[in-house]
Amino acid sequence: MFQFNFGKNYREVPPYDGGDQQRRKGVRPDFQKMKKAGIVTVIAVVALLFASSCWYTIQEEEQAVVCTFGTPKAVTEPGLHFKIPLVQTVTKVNTTIQGLSVGYDDELQYTDEAMMITSDYNFIRVDFYAEYRISDPVKALYASEDPVKVLDNIAQNCIRTTIGSYTVDAVLTTGKNEIQANIKEMIMDKLETYDIGIQLVSITIQDAQPPTAEVIEAFKAVETAKQGKETALNNANKYRNEQIPQAEAEADKILQDAEAEKESRINEAEGQVARFNSMYEEYVKYPEITRQRMFYEAMEDVLPDMKVIIEGGNGSQVQQLLPLEPFSGTGDSGETTGAAEETENGQ
């Protein structure tokens, strides 16, 4: 290549230095190597991510719903499972027992849902706590947009219906267990009808209070009176349970004594009848002898307890007292002596 300079002698321009070209040729291979290394790294990362997305893990308290081209299928076995990337999607569902509050918020304050009316037209605040679990993960995901919200609405409807059929006194005091049982049965029936994959475990009344302080005090007084009534009834039942067995035991003893007395008198009467019959048989055989023996036996029974006074005849003042008693001492002998003296004075 030549450069012309008009008016002066021209000079030859040196040819293109090949060092720059060589230097440029030395840089290009390094850039190409770095580019290839970067592409390989990206491919490796993508492949690793792709491989990691082929596996998923299910815990003990979980179930999964695998959707293949829009078709869901439940996977219930815990552990490591395989899925096809870009073809299958996995949604995990918690199947443990979970809680739902009805009538109060997270700060344990009453909400508008807690205000209800009873059958006797009294207002009352009642709050509940429900426990539920996912029974069918596929239905829980696809049968409704928000199954927990559906459960909340069903619970509120059943609670208001049930509370409206009871008096305020029953809600506050004696009817809580029955109310809880009826509400649970109603909710379970509706959940079975809607079939949204949720199962109710339990529902309990947390608290029930009248809306004003004055009514609260009045109901507390009523509750105190009822507790006093229950205490009195329990004490009365306790006393009855103690006294009835004792009275029954005494009655049994009286009956047993009467039965024994009856048997004794019957045996005695039968003995007397047998003795009279034997005596009558002897009397029929020997009337005179039997009469005399009976007379003597009667005298033997009567005379020992009798005192016989024998008076002498022909104006005699001597009297004899039979049986003869001793004249010493101050017992019966003194009384006998006094009786004899009275007899003499009477004469």
Side-chain angles (χ1 to χ4, degrees), residues 259-319:
E259 190 70 23
E261 183 69 17
K262 181 185 75 173
E263 294 295 331
S264 176
R265 293 194 177 188
I266 289 175
N267 294 333
E268 182 180 358
E270 289 177 350
Q272 292 179 356
V273 170
R275 184 168 59 253
F276 178 80
N277 290 333
S278 63
M279 292 177 62
Y280 179 73
E281 291 176 357
E282 294 296 327
Y283 175 79
V284 171
K285 294 178 182 178
Y286 310 101
E288 290 296 331
I289 297 175
T290 303
R291 279 199 298 268
Q292 290 180 1
R293 183 171 65 84
M294 292 176 65
F295 175 76
Y296 294 151
E297 289 177 352
M299 292 297 103
E300 288 178 356
D301 293 337
V302 173
L303 287 178
D305 296 329
M306 294 182 62
K307 295 179 181 180
V308 180
I309 298 175
I310 301 175
E311 295 182 355
N314 300 323
S316 174
Q317 298 296 326
V318 179
Q319 295 180 351

Coordinates of all heavy atoms in Angstrom, one line a residue, residues 259-319:
E259 N -92.0 -64.3 112.5 CA -92.1 -65.7 112.0 C -91.7 -66.7 113.0 O -92.3 -67.8 113.1 CB -91.2 -65.8 110.7 CG -91.4 -67.1 109.9 CD -92.7 -67.1 109.2 OE1 -93.3 -66.1 109.0 OE2 -93.2 -68.2 108.9
A260 N -90.6 -66.4 113.7 CA -90.2 -67.3 114.8 C -91.2 -67.4 115.9 O -91.5 -68.5 116.4 CB -88.8 -66.8 115.4
E261 N -91.8 -66.3 116.3 CA -92.9 -66.3 117.3 C -94.1 -67.1 116.8 O -94.7 -67.9 117.6 CB -93.3 -64.9 117.6 CG -94.4 -64.8 118.7 CD -93.8 -65.2 120.1 OE1 -92.6 -65.3 120.3 OE2 -94.7 -65.5 121.0
K262 N -94.4 -67.0 115.5 CA -95.5 -67.8 115.0 C -95.2 -69.2 115.0 O -96.1 -70.0 115.5 CB -95.8 -67.3 113.5 CG -96.9 -68.0 112.9 CD -97.1 -67.7 111.4 CE -96.0 -68.3 110.6 NZ -96.2 -68.1 109.1
E263 N -94.0 -69.6 114.6 CA -93.7 -71.0 114.6 C -93.7 -71.6 116.1 O -94.1 -72.7 116.3 CB -92.3 -71.2 114.0 CG -92.2 -70.9 112.5 CD -93.1 -71.9 111.7 OE1 -93.2 -73.0 112.2 OE2 -93.6 -71.5 110.6
S264 N -93.2 -70.7 117.0 CA -93.2 -71.2 118.4 C -94.6 -71.4 118.9 O -94.8 -72.4 119.6 CB -92.4 -70.1 119.3 OG -92.5 -70.5 120.6
R265 N -95.5 -70.4 118.6 CA -96.8 -70.6 119.1 C -97.6 -71.8 118.5 O -98.4 -72.5 119.1 CB -97.6 -69.3 118.9 CG -97.1 -68.2 119.8 CD -98.0 -67.0 119.8 NE -97.5 -65.9 120.7 CZ -98.3 -64.9 121.0 NH1 -99.5 -64.7 120.6 NH2 -97.8 -64.0 121.8
I266 N -97.3 -71.9 117.2 CA -97.9 -73.1 116.5 C -97.4 -74.4 117.1 O -98.2 -75.3 117.4 CB -97.6 -73.0 115.0 CG1 -98.3 -71.8 114.3 CG2 -97.9 -74.3 114.3 CD1 -98.0 -71.6 112.9
N267 N -96.1 -74.5 117.3 CA -95.6 -75.7 117.9 C -96.1 -75.9 119.3 O -96.5 -77.1 119.7 CB -94.1 -75.6 118.0 CG -93.4 -75.6 116.6 OD1 -94.0 -76.1 115.6 ND2 -92.3 -75.0 116.5
E268 N -96.2 -74.8 120.1 CA -96.8 -74.9 121.4 C -98.3 -75.3 121.4 O -98.7 -76.2 122.2 CB -96.7 -73.6 122.2 CG -97.2 -73.6 123.6 CD -97.0 -72.3 124.3 OE1 -96.5 -71.3 123.7 OE2 -97.5 -72.2 125.5
A269 N -99.0 -74.8 120.5 CA -100.4 -75.1 120.4 C -100.6 -76.6 119.9 O -101.4 -77.3 120.4 CB -101.1 -74.2 119.4
E270 N -99.7 -77.0 119.0 CA -99.8 -78.4 118.6 C -99.4 -79.3 119.7 O -100.0 -80.4 119.9 CB -98.8 -78.6 117.4 CG -99.3 -77.9 116.1 CD -98.3 -78.1 115.0 OE1 -97.2 -78.5 115.2 OE2 -98.6 -77.7 113.8
G271 N -98.4 -78.9 120.5 CA -98.1 -79.7 121.7 C -99.2 -79.8 122.7 O -99.5 -80.9 123.2
Q272 N -99.9 -78.7 122.9 CA -101.0 -78.7 123.8 C -102.2 -79.5 123.3 O -102.8 -80.3 124.0 CB -101.5 -77.3 124.1 CG -100.6 -76.4 124.9 CD -101.1 -75.0 125.1 OE1 -102.1 -74.7 124.6 NE2 -100.3 -74.2 125.8
V273 N -102.4 -79.5 122.0 CA -103.4 -80.3 121.4 C -103.1 -81.8 121.5 O -103.9 -82.6 121.9 CB -103.6 -79.9 119.9 CG1 -104.5 -80.9 119.2 CG2 -104.2 -78.5 119.8
A274 N -101.8 -82.1 121.3 CA -101.4 -83.5 121.4 C -101.6 -84.0 122.9 O -102.1 -85.1 123.1 CB -100.0 -83.7 121.0
R275 N -101.2 -83.1 123.8 CA -101.3 -83.5 125.2 C -102.8 -83.6 125.6 O -103.2 -84.5 126.4 CB -100.6 -82.4 126.1 CG -100.6 -82.7 127.6 CD -99.7 -81.8 128.4 NE -100.0 -80.4 128.2 CZ -99.4 -79.5 127.5 NH1 -98.3 -79.9 126.9 NH2 -99.8 -78.3 127.5
F276 N -103.7 -82.7 125.1 CA -105.1 -82.8 125.4 C -105.7 -84.0 124.8 O -106.5 -84.7 125.5 CB -105.8 -81.5 124.9 CG -107.3 -81.6 125.1 CD1 -107.8 -81.2 126.3 CD2 -108.2 -82.0 124.1 CE1 -109.2 -81.3 126.5 CE2 -109.5 -82.0 124.3 CZ -110.0 -81.6 125.5
N277 N -105.3 -84.4 123.6 CA -105.8 -85.6 123.0 C -105.4 -86.8 123.8 O -106.2 -87.8 124.0 CB -105.3 -85.7 121.6 CG -106.0 -84.7 120.7 OD1 -107.1 -84.2 120.9 ND2 -105.3 -84.3 119.6
S278 N -104.1 -86.8 124.3 CA -103.7 -88.0 125.0 C -104.4 -88.1 126.4 O -104.8 -89.1 126.8 CB -102.2 -87.9 125.3 OG -101.8 -86.8 126.0
M279 N -104.6 -86.9 127.0 CA -105.4 -86.9 128.2 C -106.8 -87.3 128.0 O -107.4 -88.0 128.8 CB -105.4 -85.5 128.8 CG -104.0 -85.1 129.4 SD -104.0 -83.4 130.0 CE -105.2 -83.5 131.3
Y280 N -107.4 -86.9 126.9 CA -108.8 -87.3 126.6 C -108.9 -88.8 126.4 O -109.8 -89.4 126.8 CB -109.3 -86.5 125.4 CG -110.7 -86.9 125.0 CD1 -111.8 -86.4 125.7 CD2 -110.9 -87.7 123.9 CE1 -113.0 -86.8 125.4 CE2 -112.2 -88.0 123.5 CZ -113.3 -87.6 124.3 OH -114.6 -87.9 123.9
E281 N -107.9 -89.3 125.8 CA -107.9 -90.8 125.6 C -107.8 -91.5 126.9 O -108.5 -92.5 127.1 CB -106.7 -91.2 124.7 CG -106.8 -90.8 123.2 CD -105.6 -91.1 122.4 OE1 -104.6 -91.6 123.0 OE2 -105.6 -90.8 121.2
E282 N -107.0 -91.0 127.8 CA -106.9 -91.6 129.2 C -108.2 -91.3 129.9 O -108.7 -92.2 130.7 CB -105.8 -91.0 129.9 CG -104.4 -91.3 129.4 CD -104.1 -92.8 129.5 OE1 -104.6 -93.4 130.4 OE2 -103.4 -93.3 128.6
Y283 N -108.8 -90.1 129.7 CA -110.1 -89.8 130.4 C -111.2 -90.8 129.9 O -112.0 -91.2 130.7 CB -110.5 -88.4 130.1 CG -111.8 -88.0 130.7 CD1 -111.9 -87.7 132.1 CD2 -112.9 -87.9 129.9 CE1 -113.2 -87.4 132.6 CE2 -114.2 -87.6 130.4 CZ -114.3 -87.3 131.8 OH -115.5 -87.0 132.3
V284 N -111.2 -91.1 128.7 CA -112.3 -92.0 128.1 C -112.1 -93.4 128.8 O -113.1 -94.0 129.1 CB -112.2 -92.0 126.6 CG1 -113.1 -93.1 126.1 CG2 -112.6 -90.7 126.0
K285 N -110.8 -93.7 129.0 CA -110.6 -95.1 129.5 C -110.9 -95.1 131.0 O -111.6 -96.0 131.5 CB -109.2 -95.5 129.3 CG -108.8 -95.7 127.8 CD -107.3 -96.1 127.7 CE -107.0 -96.2 126.2 NZ -105.5 -96.6 126.1
Y286 N -110.4 -94.1 131.7 CA -110.6 -94.0 133.2 C -111.0 -92.6 133.6 O -110.2 -91.8 134.0 CB -109.3 -94.4 133.9 CG -108.7 -95.7 133.4 CD1 -107.6 -95.7 132.5 CD2 -109.2 -96.9 133.8 CE1 -107.0 -96.8 132.0 CE2 -108.6 -98.1 133.4 CZ -107.5 -98.1 132.5 OH -107.0 -99.2 132.0
P287 N -112.3 -92.4 133.6 CA -112.8 -91.0 133.8 C -112.5 -90.5 135.2 O -112.0 -89.4 135.4 CB -114.3 -91.1 133.6 CG -114.5 -92.3 132.7 CD -113.4 -93.2 133.1
E288 N -112.8 -91.4 136.3 CA -112.6 -90.9 137.7 C -111.1 -90.7 138.0 O -110.8 -89.7 138.6 CB -113.2 -92.0 138.6 CG -114.7 -92.0 138.6 CD -115.4 -90.7 139.0 OE1 -114.7 -90.1 139.9 OE2 -116.4 -90.4 138.5
I289 N -110.3 -91.7 137.6 CA -108.9 -91.5 137.9 C -108.3 -90.3 137.2 O -107.5 -89.6 137.8 CB -108.2 -92.8 137.5 CG1 -108.7 -94.0 138.3 CG2 -106.7 -92.7 137.7 CD1 -108.2 -95.4 137.9
T290 N -108.7 -90.1 136.0 CA -108.2 -89.0 135.3 C -108.6 -87.7 135.9 O -107.8 -86.7 136.0 CB -108.7 -89.0 133.8 OG1 -108.3 -90.3 133.2 CG2 -108.0 -87.9 133.0
R291 N -109.9 -87.5 136.4 CA -110.3 -86.3 137.0 C -109.5 -86.0 138.3 O -109.2 -84.9 138.5 CB -111.8 -86.4 137.3 CG -112.7 -86.1 136.1 CD -114.1 -85.7 136.5 NE -114.7 -86.9 137.2 CZ -115.5 -87.8 136.6 NH1 -115.7 -87.7 135.3 NH2 -116.0 -88.8 137.3
Q292 N -109.3 -87.1 139.0 CA -108.6 -86.9 140.3 C -107.1 -86.5 140.0 O -106.6 -85.6 140.6 CB -108.6 -88.2 141.1 CG -109.9 -88.5 141.7 CD -109.9 -89.8 142.5 OE1 -108.9 -90.5 142.6 NE2 -111.1 -90.2 143.0
R293 N -106.5 -87.1 139.0 CA -105.1 -86.8 138.7 C -105.0 -85.3 138.2 O -104.1 -84.6 138.5 CB -104.6 -87.7 137.6 CG -103.1 -87.5 137.2 CD -102.6 -88.6 136.3 NE -103.3 -88.6 135.1 CZ -102.9 -87.8 134.0 NH1 -101.9 -86.9 134.2 NH2 -103.6 -87.9 132.9
M294 N -106.0 -84.9 137.4 CA -106.0 -83.6 136.9 C -106.3 -82.6 138.0 O -105.7 -81.5 138.1 CB -107.1 -83.4 135.8 CG -106.8 -84.1 134.5 SD -108.2 -84.0 133.4 CE -108.2 -82.2 133.0
F295 N -107.1 -83.0 139.0 CA -107.3 -82.1 140.2 C -106.1 -82.0 141.0 O -105.7 -80.9 141.4 CB -108.5 -82.7 141.0 CG -108.7 -81.9 142.3 CD1 -109.4 -80.7 142.3 CD2 -108.2 -82.4 143.5 CE1 -109.5 -80.0 143.4 CE2 -108.4 -81.7 144.7 CZ -109.1 -80.5 144.6
Y296 N -105.4 -83.1 141.2 CA -104.2 -83.0 142.0 C -103.1 -82.2 141.3 O -102.3 -81.4 141.9 CB -103.6 -84.4 142.2 CG -104.5 -85.2 143.1 CD1 -104.6 -86.6 143.0 CD2 -105.3 -84.6 144.1 CE1 -105.4 -87.4 143.8 CE2 -106.2 -85.4 144.9 CZ -106.2 -86.8 144.8 OH -107.0 -87.5 145.6
E297 N -103.0 -82.4 140.0 CA -102.0 -81.6 139.2 C -102.3 -80.1 139.3 O -101.4 -79.2 139.4 CB -101.9 -82.0 137.8 CG -101.3 -83.4 137.6 CD -101.4 -83.9 136.2 OE1 -102.0 -83.2 135.3 OE2 -100.8 -84.9 135.8
A298 N -103.6 -79.8 139.2 CA -104.0 -78.4 139.3 C -103.7 -77.8 140.7 O -103.2 -76.7 140.9 CB -105.5 -78.2 139.0
M299 N -103.9 -78.6 141.8 CA -103.6 -78.2 143.1 C -102.1 -78.0 143.3 O -101.6 -77.1 144.0 CB -104.1 -79.2 144.2 CG -105.6 -79.2 144.2 SD -106.4 -77.6 144.8 CE -106.9 -77.0 143.2
E300 N -101.3 -78.9 142.6 CA -99.9 -78.7 142.7 C -99.4 -77.4 142.1 O -98.4 -76.8 142.6 CB -99.2 -79.9 142.0 CG -99.3 -81.2 142.8 CD -98.6 -82.3 142.0 OE1 -98.2 -82.1 140.9 OE2 -98.6 -83.5 142.5
D301 N -100.1 -77.0 141.1 CA -99.7 -75.7 140.5 C -100.2 -74.5 141.3 O -99.6 -73.5 141.3 CB -100.3 -75.6 139.1 CG -99.6 -76.7 138.2 OD1 -98.5 -77.1 138.5 OD2 -100.2 -77.0 137.1
V302 N -101.4 -74.7 142.0 CA -102.0 -73.5 142.7 C -101.5 -73.4 144.1 O -101.2 -72.3 144.6 CB -103.5 -73.6 142.6 CG1 -104.2 -72.5 143.4 CG2 -104.0 -73.6 141.2
L303 N -101.5 -74.5 144.9 CA -101.3 -74.4 146.3 C -99.9 -73.8 146.7 O -99.9 -73.1 147.8 CB -101.4 -75.8 146.9 CG -102.9 -76.3 147.0 CD1 -102.9 -77.7 147.6 CD2 -103.7 -75.4 147.9
P304 N -98.8 -74.0 146.0 CA -97.6 -73.5 146.5 C -97.6 -71.9 146.6 O -96.8 -71.4 147.4 CB -96.6 -73.9 145.4 CG -97.1 -75.2 144.9 CD -98.6 -75.0 144.9
D305 N -98.4 -71.3 145.9 CA -98.5 -69.8 145.9 C -99.7 -69.3 146.8 O -99.9 -68.1 146.9 CB -98.7 -69.3 144.5 CG -97.5 -69.5 143.7 OD1 -96.4 -69.6 144.2 OD2 -97.7 -69.7 142.4
M306 N -100.4 -70.2 147.5 CA -101.5 -69.8 148.4 C -101.1 -70.0 149.9 O -100.3 -70.7 150.2 CB -102.7 -70.7 148.1 CG -103.3 -70.6 146.7 SD -104.7 -71.6 146.4 CE -105.8 -70.9 147.6
K307 N -101.8 -69.1 150.7 CA -101.7 -69.2 152.1 C -103.0 -69.6 152.7 O -104.0 -68.9 152.4 CB -101.2 -67.8 152.6 CG -99.8 -67.4 152.2 CD -99.5 -66.1 152.7 CE -98.1 -65.7 152.2 NZ -97.7 -64.4 152.7
V308 N -103.0 -70.7 153.4 CA -104.3 -71.2 154.0 C -104.3 -71.0 155.5 O -103.3 -71.3 156.2 CB -104.4 -72.7 153.7 CG1 -105.7 -73.3 154.2 CG2 -104.3 -72.9 152.2
I309 N -105.4 -70.5 155.9 CA -105.6 -70.2 157.4 C -106.6 -71.2 157.9 O -107.7 -71.3 157.4 CB -106.0 -68.8 157.7 CG1 -104.9 -67.8 157.2 CG2 -106.3 -68.6 159.2 CD1 -105.3 -66.4 157.4
I310 N -106.3 -72.0 158.9 CA -107.2 -73.0 159.5 C -107.6 -72.5 160.8 O -106.8 -72.2 161.7 CB -106.5 -74.4 159.6 CG1 -106.0 -74.8 158.2 CG2 -107.4 -75.4 160.2 CD1 -105.2 -76.1 158.3
E311 N -108.9 -72.4 161.0 CA -109.5 -71.9 162.3 C -109.9 -73.1 163.1 O -110.5 -74.0 162.6 CB -110.6 -71.0 162.0 CG -110.2 -69.7 161.3 CD -111.4 -68.8 161.1 OE1 -112.6 -69.2 161.5 OE2 -111.2 -67.7 160.6
G312 N -109.7 -73.0 164.4 CA -110.1 -74.0 165.3 C -111.6 -73.8 165.7 O -112.1 -72.7 165.7
G313 N -112.3 -74.9 166.0 CA -113.7 -74.8 166.3 C -114.0 -74.7 167.8 O -113.0 -74.6 168.6
N314 N -115.2 -74.6 168.2 CA -115.7 -74.6 169.6 C -115.2 -73.3 170.3 O -114.7 -73.4 171.5 CB -115.3 -75.8 170.4 CG -116.0 -77.1 169.7 OD1 -117.1 -77.0 169.2 ND2 -115.3 -78.2 169.8
G315 N -115.1 -72.2 169.6 CA -114.7 -71.0 170.3 C -113.2 -70.9 170.5 O -112.8 -70.0 171.3
S316 N -112.4 -71.7 170.0 CA -111.0 -71.7 170.2 C -110.4 -70.5 169.5 O -110.8 -70.1 168.4 CB -110.3 -73.0 169.7 OG -108.9 -72.8 169.8
Q317 N -109.5 -69.8 170.2 CA -108.8 -68.7 169.6 C -107.5 -69.0 168.9 O -106.8 -68.2 168.4 CB -108.4 -67.7 170.7 CG -109.7 -67.1 171.4 CD -110.6 -66.3 170.6 OE1 -110.1 -65.6 169.7 NE2 -111.9 -66.5 170.8
V318 N -107.2 -70.3 168.7 CA -106.0 -70.7 168.0 C -106.2 -70.8 166.5 O -107.2 -71.4 166.1 CB -105.5 -72.1 168.6 CG1 -104.2 -72.5 167.9 CG2 -105.3 -72.0 170.1
Q319 N -105.3 -70.2 165.8 CA -105.3 -70.2 164.3 C -104.0 -70.8 163.8 O -103.0 -70.6 164.4 CB -105.6 -68.8 163.8 CG -106.9 -68.2 164.1 CD -107.1 -66.9 163.5 OE1 -106.1 -66.3 163.0 NE2 -108.3 -66.3 163.6

